[in-house]
């Protein structure tokens, strides 16, 4: 996912040498320049402020920021990495981590620097037991709801005790065909949607060792049918509705009672004065087998061929440090800092939303985003086949079993 991190000023924040180098001294004895690549121009101001703080503690190190748009980022990175000229430090997500680690493009990193961070996020940046990325933010799925629609229908707001049955019952009561109003949105989304419900029902997406698909398990099928059932019951709109309009835009229209989405939606919804008054957020409802929330975060990776590995690692470590995490939190942007006890500034930026309660309940139930070496390859299969199930053209069980068969063939070649 792409985070937006417009950051507040650094006034009043002490510059901590810890995290910049193991000795507390500047990490370079001579002038050194390293490059830092990110994919979102919205993060330019935040990145520059973090860079300024790092350079203040390490005056002999200059960090040069490079911004490449998302739709070009991975193509460019693959090209320069193949030529041995990857940026010294660059943004990485867990979907691509194993491929870059296996290819020897990124360097192993110090495990001690992720002490105290949520394991469900950190584990996404390990390959064969070795850490290759230092995460600095976390995205958490949650249930957003429209208080105005709930009030009009006389339905109580979602709480941390809600279950799937509560969602289904509320969605039916909130649906009003005369108003073209639906109780819930049911798009075909994995991180904030069906991956969670598959796991909550006792299934899984891919085995922990990345060698076997879990789509054909009974729990996984049940988790997928949670969504198609809402569409079949007409409590959610048909799949075609999501083809041309983003779900965030749909939810803001005031025609949908609930939406599974990310806590990072807070900055978008808060920016709209009308929306901020009528919506709120709660933790994901409990599944029939267990509570679970897919945690995904952004991380920094270090090039295995960097000419300045010590300085590059030190900068990546700094972004994960308490000082930088507080800067991220105080920005009030889309990203939630990963390190505990640094998140209060973010909560205060959106005071009307129950974000702290949602995060506090969700983090202990966090599970890693499911990946293997070639995640994108089997996700293409997943998305193409699931589209038929969402459209009601094929039974979910049949589609899930076909996904598992093709997915296992892909996994066997990894």
């Amino acid at each position: 996912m792409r985070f937006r991190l417009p950051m507040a000023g650094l006034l009043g924040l002490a510059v901590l040498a810890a995290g910049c180098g193991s000795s507390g001294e500047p990490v370079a004895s001579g002038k050194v320049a390293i490059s830092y690549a990110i994919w979102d121009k919205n993060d330019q101001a935040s990145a520059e402020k973090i860079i300024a703080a790092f350079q203040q503690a390490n005056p002999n190190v200059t960090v040069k920021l490079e911004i490449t748009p998302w739709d070009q980022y991975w193509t460019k990175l693959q090209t320069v990495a193949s030529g041995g000229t990857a940026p010294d430090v660059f943004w990485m997500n867990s979907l691509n981590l194993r491929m870059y680690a296996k290819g020897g493009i990124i360097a192993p990193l110090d495990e001690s620097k992720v002490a105290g961070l949520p394991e469900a996020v950190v584990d996404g940046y390990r390959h064969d037991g070795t850490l290759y990325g230092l995460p600095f933010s976390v995205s958490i799925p949650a249930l957003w709801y429209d208080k105005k629609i709930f009030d009009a229908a006389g339905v109580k707001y979602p709480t941390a005790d809600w279950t799937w049955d509560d969602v289904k019952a509320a969605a039916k009561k909130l649906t009003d065909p005369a108003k073209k109003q639906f109780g819930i949105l049911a798009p075909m989304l994995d991180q904030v949607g069906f991956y969670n419900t598959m796991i909550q029902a006792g299934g899984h997406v891919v085995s922990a060792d990345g060698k076997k698909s879990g789509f054909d398990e009974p729990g996984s099928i049940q988790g997928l049918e949670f969504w198609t059932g809402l569409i079949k019951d007409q409590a959610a709109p048909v799949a075609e509705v999501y083809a041309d309009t983003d779900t965030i835009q749909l939810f803001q229209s005031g025609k949908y009672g609930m939406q599974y989405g990310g806590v990072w939606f807070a900055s978008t919804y808060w920016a709209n004065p009308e929306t901020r008054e009528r919506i709120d957020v709660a933790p994901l409802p409990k599944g029939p087998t267990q509570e679970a929330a897919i945690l995904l975060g952004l991380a920094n990776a270090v090039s295995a061929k960097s000419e300045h590995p010590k300085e590059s690692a030190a900068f990546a470590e700094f972004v994960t440090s308490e000082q930088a995490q507080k800067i991220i939190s105080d920005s009030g942007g889309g990203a939630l800092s990963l390190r505990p006890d640094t998140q209060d500034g973010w909560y205060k930026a959106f005071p009307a939303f129950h974000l702290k309660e949602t995060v506090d309940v969700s983090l202990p139930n966090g599970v890693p985003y499911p990946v293997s070496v070639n995640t994108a390859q089997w996700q293409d299969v997943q998305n193409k086949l699931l589209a038929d199930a969402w459209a009601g053209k094929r039974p979910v069980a049949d589609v899930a079993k076909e996904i598992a068969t093709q997915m296992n063939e892909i996994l066997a070649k990894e």
Side-chain angles (χ1 to χ4, degrees):
M1 94 141 271
R2 285 169 273 181
F3 289 123
R4 184 181 180 187
L5 307 172
M7 297 206 171
L10 295 174
L11 294 177
L13 293 177
V15 177
L16 305 178
C20 301
S22 59
S23 66
E25 296 297 323
V27 295
S29 56
K31 295 290 184 179
V32 166
I34 61 174
S35 54
Y36 181 38
I38 67 175
W39 61 61
D40 197 337
K41 190 172 179 61
N42 290 323
D43 297 306
Q44 180 173 352
S46 63
E48 287 176 347
K49 289 184 171 90
I50 287 179
I51 287 170
F54 175 79
Q55 290 179 159
Q56 184 174 349
N58 300 275
N60 288 329
V61 182
T62 298
V63 181
K64 297 181 179 179
L65 184 64
E66 300 175 358
I67 305 174
T68 302
W70 169 262
D71 57 359
Q72 303 170 29
Y73 181 88
W74 295 105
T75 300
K76 178 180 178 181
L77 182 59
Q78 184 176 1
T79 300
V80 296
S82 298
T85 58
D88 295 286
V89 185
F90 51 91
W91 274 8
M92 176 57 59
N93 60 24
S94 61
L95 282 73
N96 292 290
L97 185 282
R98 285 156 182 77
M99 184 182 299
Y100 279 80
K102 186 176 181 180
I105 294 171
I106 52 181
L109 296 169
D110 185 354
E111 278 276 353
S112 70
K113 302 303 178 181
V114 294
L117 299 182
E119 184 62 21
V121 178
V122 174
D123 192 57
Y125 292 97
R126 292 192 182 98
H127 176 61
D128 287 344
T130 299
L131 185 71
Y132 286 93
L134 293 174
F136 57 87
S137 64
V138 60
S139 58
I140 302 173
L143 180 66
W144 289 92
Y145 59 95
D146 192 314
K147 295 185 291 185
K148 184 176 180 180
I149 293 177
F150 270 74
D151 290 342
V155 178
K156 292 183 178 180
Y157 299 156
T159 68
D161 295 324
W162 263 35
T163 66
W164 286 11
D165 288 340
D166 293 311
V167 174
K168 294 174 183 178
K172 290 179 180 179
K173 293 178 181 178
L174 299 172
T175 298
D176 188 341
K179 296 180 180 178
K180 295 183 179 181
Q181 175 179 296
F182 290 90
I184 191 169
L185 288 163
M188 197 183 76
L189 299 176
D190 55 33
Q191 182 199 350
V192 298
F194 62 83
Y195 280 175
N196 297 280
T197 52
M198 288 170 69
I199 296 170
Q200 289 174 347
H204 69 274
V205 179
V206 63
S207 59
D209 60 7
K211 294 182 178 180
K212 189 177 186 301
S213 172
F215 268 87
D216 54 351
E217 293 188 351
S220 297
I221 294 171
Q222 184 180 1
L224 294 169
E225 289 176 338
F226 169 81
W227 297 98
T228 58
L230 289 166
I231 298 173
K232 185 178 180 180
D233 292 342
Q234 299 182 349
V238 295
E240 289 79 5
V241 169
Y242 314 106
D244 300 318
T245 308
D246 183 81
T247 55
I248 292 178
Q249 184 177 344
L250 286 171
F251 187 63
Q252 290 185 99
S253 71
K255 293 292 185 179
Y256 305 93
M258 293 177 285
Q259 171 195 32
Y260 275 54
V263 295
W264 62 91
F265 291 6
S267 60
T268 298
Y269 291 151
W270 192 260
N272 183 336
E274 191 274 333
T275 302
R276 79 169 69 156
E277 292 296 326
R278 63 178 173 82
I279 70 168
D280 205 344
V281 65
L284 288 186
K286 302 174 183 178
T289 300
Q290 63 183 338
E291 296 182 62
I294 298 287
L295 302 187
L296 186 62
L298 286 181
N300 285 309
V302 174
S303 171
K305 295 186 177 180
S306 172
E307 294 181 358
H308 307 291
K310 182 179 179 182
E311 291 79 10
S312 298
F315 177 69
E317 292 164 7
F318 179 75
V319 182
T320 307
S321 71
E322 183 177 354
Q323 179 187 357
Q325 293 283 282
K326 286 182 177 179
I327 295 172
I328 292 173
S329 177
D330 290 344
S331 73
L336 174 63
S337 60
L338 182 60
R339 191 169 293 281
D341 301 322
T342 66
Q343 299 159 339
D344 285 348
W346 191 75
Y347 299 139
K348 291 177 182 177
F350 316 108
F353 298 157
H354 287 80
L355 289 163
K356 186 177 189 307
E357 296 90 331
T358 298
V359 171
D360 287 348
V361 169
S362 302
L363 281 178
N365 301 316
V367 294
Y369 187 90
V371 293
S372 68
V373 174
N374 294 314
T375 306
Q377 189 175 355
W378 54 258
Q379 280 189 340
D380 282 344
V381 171
Q382 158 198 294
N383 295 334
K384 289 176 182 177
L385 293 177
L386 279 181
D388 283 345
W390 247 252
K393 296 178 180 179
R394 295 180 60 192
V396 171
D398 292 351
V399 169
K401 291 174 183 177
E402 185 175 346
I403 292 173
T405 297
Q406 294 191 35
M407 188 172 166
N408 283 331
E409 292 174 356
I410 293 170
L411 294 172
K413 297 176 182 178
E414 294 185 353

